[in-house]
Every structure is written in structure tokens, then in C-alpha cells.
Amino acid sequence: IWAYPNGDLRYFLDTTRDDALTADEYTAEFAKGIISYQSASGVYFGSFEGEKVSLSTDCGDANGGNPDLDNINELFALAEQQYPDLFPVGPHTYNKQNDGYVYRYYYATGIFVGVKNGVVYLNGGQFGTSAQPVAFGTLSSALAQLNETIPPPTVPTSQMGTYAVTFSDVTSYSPFTEGTSANVVITAAGGLCMNGVELASGPSKSTSPGFVVWENANVGLNLSLDLNDVSTTDLSLQVSSLNGLSYATLEGSKTSLASACGAIDIASANQLFSLAEQYYPDLFPASALSFNQISGNTVTRYYAATGISISIDGGSVNVKGGQFGAGQTVGTVSQLIDEIVTANTPLPETPPTPPTYIYDMFVEGTSRTQFGNLAIVNGQYESRKYAIARPDSANIAALKAVVALAISDAVTKVDSSTVSVFSDTPEALILTATVSSDSITGVDKDFQLVITIQRRL
């Protein structure tokens, strides 16, 4: 019984049954119970009947507190339908809410899609894993694009790099001034940054299929690149508001092959420095005087014994001094790492051993606890286990051992369990399970679980 004293109402769920059900049948039928609503004194007013539509336990989903919920669900459905490689539906794909966001998380790709205050945000996977999600655009504009879009064109590799640009053809209602300088980076992942502000790439509109579009709802800007007018050295972008109001043209030339939005990848830089010192010690002798020096978005290591320095600006590598003279760009960080490793790795005499993978287990579901004949408590159940052995999906005994491990945080013994394979791929094994336990006298526990055994990247 749930009471609502301000309205003199109560809501009543009858958990007793007058038909003979097995324990498994009872568990399956429990969610179909009828909730009646009554006066505080028990006068019957009517009843609710229906089926579970989501694992979400946020009251906002039940009371319709989010006025955009229908449009948000349409956004998720269209994204999953049109871009299944980015937003693949799985057993864990359902609405969640946190900090004002309504969001879904796609486990297979590690991507979040969320909506907050009418703005669509993306994070994870190819959209990066920064602390702040990338604003894709307004909910209405995103829906408009999904309802009239074609797949986004690919940014040519020749366009990736850093450009020095200026604003021209500025309109009278533009927030920009004629001749103002800016810095634009087109990243290797197809994203764009202007003066350090990230803009997310999106699908082209059917009215302009030959354009790559980048948007950022927080700053209200839309930048577009005409693929029929590209150059390996120059860049021309049209700048407008999110609703298409023209602001200006951005034009300029490529100044660097650096294709990172101002962030220094220290791990990759250190790997390159270490490889250079290991395999080319005559040029880059390691010593206490050779250490990282960071200035702005550039990390440099200077080798005093030879007078040579390596500087990394974004993803571009420049070597200066000694036989390299005043300095020359020798490639990108990832390219040079691959070249050095390849050049100094002997061919294996025998086939390489298969890689060893580490698997983690993520458990979500519902639990039901009965204390004799006194009370039943229902709730959510979650558990995490790391670095476990992946079982053979055809070995029922091994699968049941995984199920026992999945609920080991809640019970010490499993009385009965059923388990089936929902999905079996090299990246993940997904199981569904029903478990019963009465390991404590007088206390019965039942679980409905989704168990994901995920390979670490």
C-alpha cells in the first residue's frame, strides 16, 4: 500500500494469488499485478493495469514531468534506426536520468546520447571522452535533421590539419567583425574546433548533401564545408546561426598537420620520445637534461648533447637542430610511432599467439525478497566484477557458475537458476537469468538479471 495523504488517496497492490502458480510462474506474473486506487479508508475508486515498458525507476518517467519526453524518445529511435553502427540497441538500452539529462548509453560503442534543456549532447566513442559532453544541436534541429537527412559525407583526409583563418563577408547582423583572425582545426576523427571550441559533426540536410556540417548549440553556431570546393592547402567555411541565418565566411590557409583540438596527448608524446631515445641514441641521447617542456599546446624535449629538439604540436612532430637545421616537420605522432616500431620489430618466426583479453562483468536487474509470509520488498540489483574468466557459452555449468558469481554480493547460495544466452560475440557475452535463493532461514530472494561479460578495449 502506498499512501498519498494530501489527496486522501492510497494505491493498493494485491500480491496474493488465488490460482496455483509455481515459483517461476509467480515471478513472471508478478509485474502484471493490478494496482487499485482507493480512498484513505479503503473505498474502491478504480484500478491500473498494464505492462512494464522500461527498467527506469525515475518518477519523472511515470508522471510525465519532462515535456520533451516524446520528442526525446523519437530522437533515440531515429538515431538507432539510421545509425545502428553508432547507436546499436541492446538489452541495456533504455532511458536513464541524471543531473537534468535524459540519456541512453550504448554499451557496444561506449557512446552516450543525452538531452538537457532542449539541447542534444554526445559523449564517448568517436565523440571523445571529455568531462563535458559535446553539444550536437537543439532537440528540434536534431529531429529535423534525422527526419530529412542523408548519411553524413566523409571529411577528406586532405582537409585535416590546423588553419589560420579570418572572417570575411560579414553580414550586418553577424556577431563577428570583418577581418577578425581565428584558428580552426579539422581533426582526424572528422570533428572541428574553432579557437578551442569543439563543434560536433552531424548528418547533412537533404537540401545540401554536398556539405559537411558542424554545430555547437552552446555558442549557437553552424559551420559548413562545401565538398565541391576543397583544397589541400586552403579552407573556406560558411558560418551561420543554428537556424540558418548567414553570419560570415571563414577563409585561410593550412599552417600545420596538427589535427587535435588543442589537447596534448602526453602518453603518445612520451611513447614517441622513448622510442626515439631507444632506437636512435646517437641523435636523441637520454639524460637527466632531456625532459618534457610544455608551452601552450606544444610539448618539447631537448637533447643538450646533440643540440636537437623534438616538438609535438597537436599530432604534428617537428625536429630542429643538428642535421635537421632550422627545423622540419617529419610526420604525425601516430605515424612515426608505427614506423619506428615496424622498422625495429623483427618478423616472427612462428605465428603470434592469440591475444589474451580481460573480461569484466556488469550485472543489472531486479530483486524480490520475501520475509516468510510477512512482507515482500522489490528493488533494483546491480553488481560489478572485474577481470573474470569468460565462460564457454555452450557450457551450462559454467554459465550457472557465472550467475552464482553475479549475485554473490547479495546471497551465499543459489537454490535454483535458469540461464540463457542473449548474445554471443567476440566483444561481449550477454546472458539473461532467473535465480532463487533461500540461504537465510525464512528469507527468500529471487532475481531477474541481465549479465554482460564485456571484453576490455
Side-chain angles (χ1 to χ4, degrees):
I1 297 174
W2 297 271
Y4 184 61
N6 291 339
D8 192 33
L9 291 174
R10 69 179 190 177
Y11 300 86
F12 185 92
L13 171 64
D14 186 356
T15 61
T16 64
R17 298 294 297 251
D18 58 6
D19 49 347
L21 294 176
T22 66
D24 287 343
E25 290 172 333
Y26 180 89
T27 299
E29 293 293 323
F30 181 80
K32 298 180 181 178
I34 299 174
I35 299 177
S36 64
Y37 57 102
Q38 310 168 350
S39 70
S41 60
V43 177
Y44 176 80
F45 290 151
S47 64
F48 299 106
E49 228 177 314
E51 296 183 356
K52 184 183 294 183
V53 297
S54 169
L55 295 179
S56 173
T57 58
D58 191 298
C59 283
D61 280 352
N63 65 22
N66 191 323
D68 293 329
L69 191 57
D70 288 343
N71 289 334
I72 291 171
N73 286 330
E74 181 185 359
L75 172 79
F76 293 151
L78 289 172
E80 292 162 2
Q81 176 185 355
Q82 295 184 23
Y83 302 97
D85 292 340
L86 295 176
F87 314 113
V89 179
H92 296 293
T93 307
Y94 52 88
N95 290 7
K96 297 182 179 181
Q97 298 190 32
N98 184 46
D99 192 28
Y101 291 93
V102 178
Y103 68 95
R104 287 188 183 181
Y105 176 60
Y106 298 87
Y107 281 81
T109 57
I111 294 175
F112 288 88
V113 181
V115 180
K116 182 177 181 180
N117 298 328
V119 177
V120 180
Y121 294 89
L122 299 166
N123 203 358
Q126 71 179 59
F127 303 105
T129 55
S130 61
Q132 297 298 323
V134 177
F136 174 81
T138 63
L139 177 58
S140 58
S141 67
L143 281 173
Q145 289 188 37
L146 287 170
N147 280 311
E148 58 144 344
T149 59
I150 59 175
T154 302
V155 180
T157 304
S158 62
Q159 294 299 113
M160 299 170 187
T162 300
Y163 297 81
V165 294
T166 57
F167 287 92
S168 61
D169 301 326
V170 174
T171 60
S172 59
Y173 34 79
S174 171
F176 305 104
T177 302
E178 186 83 19
T180 301
S181 299
N183 177 272
V184 168
V185 178
I186 298 180
T187 72
L192 182 144
C193 297
M194 184 175 71
N195 289 350
V197 177
E198 295 186 38
L199 288 86
S201 60
S204 296
K205 297 182 180 180
S206 57
T207 55
S208 54
F211 284 78
V212 179
V213 177
W214 295 274
E215 290 186 336
N216 184 316
N218 290 333
V219 296
L221 289 181
N222 172 300
L223 272 64
S224 59
L225 169 67
D226 185 353
L227 292 180
N228 296 314
D229 184 23
V230 296
S231 164
T232 58
T233 58
D234 299 321
L235 180 69
S236 178
L237 299 170
Q238 297 303 311
V239 185
S240 65
S241 67
L242 292 179
N243 59 9
L245 188 65
S246 178
Y247 283 158
T249 300
L250 264 180
E251 292 183 314
S253 300
K254 183 179 292 184
T255 60
S256 167
L257 294 177
S259 57
C261 287
I264 300 175
D265 187 346
I266 293 297
S268 296
N270 285 337
Q271 182 182 4
L272 179 61
F273 293 146
S274 296
L275 289 171
E277 293 165 1
Q278 177 181 354
Y279 293 110
Y280 308 99
D282 293 339
L283 297 174
F284 313 108
S287 74
L289 297 177
S290 299
F291 54 88
N292 290 356
Q293 302 174 62
I294 298 176
S295 175
N297 296 322
T298 302
V299 57
T300 301
R301 189 172 289 192
Y302 175 68
Y303 299 89
T306 58
I308 298 174
S309 63
I310 303 176
S311 296
I312 299 174
D313 179 9
S316 181
V317 181
N318 184 277
V319 184
K320 180 180 179 181
Q323 68 188 61
F324 300 99
Q328 55 185 279
T329 299
V330 293
T332 66
V333 174
S334 58
Q335 171 194 345
L336 291 172
I337 289 175
D338 290 342
E339 289 179 1
I340 295 173
V341 171
T342 300
N344 293 279
T345 301
L347 294 175
E349 297 180 0
T350 58
T353 57
T356 300
Y357 297 113
I358 299 175
Y359 292 85
D360 301 319
M361 180 167 67
F362 307 94
V363 185
E364 292 187 336
T366 58
S367 65
R368 169 185 171 274
T369 304
Q370 180 171 341
F371 301 88
N373 295 320
L374 297 178
I376 294 176
V377 177
N378 295 285
Q380 297 294 112
Y381 180 78
E382 294 186 354
S383 179
R384 302 287 186 267
K385 305 292 181 184
Y386 300 98
I388 70 167
R390 172 172 172 156
D392 181 355
S393 60
N395 187 333
I396 297 299
L399 297 182
K400 288 197 171 187
V402 168
V403 172
L405 178 63
I407 64 168
S408 60
D409 293 337
V411 299
T412 57
K413 181 172 69 71
V414 174
D415 292 312
S416 65
S417 65
T418 59
V419 59
S420 60
V421 176
F422 179 87
S423 174
D424 185 5
T425 67
E427 292 76 24
L429 173 63
I430 302 176
L431 312 173
T432 59
T434 301
V435 191
S436 296
S437 171
D438 59 355
S439 56
I440 303 175
T441 303
V443 178
D444 296 328
K445 288 193 172 185
D446 299 317
F447 301 84
Q448 298 285 338
L449 305 175
V450 176
I451 303 170
T452 301
I453 301 171
Q454 183 78 44
R455 187 175 79 188
R456 290 187 190 175
L457 299 179

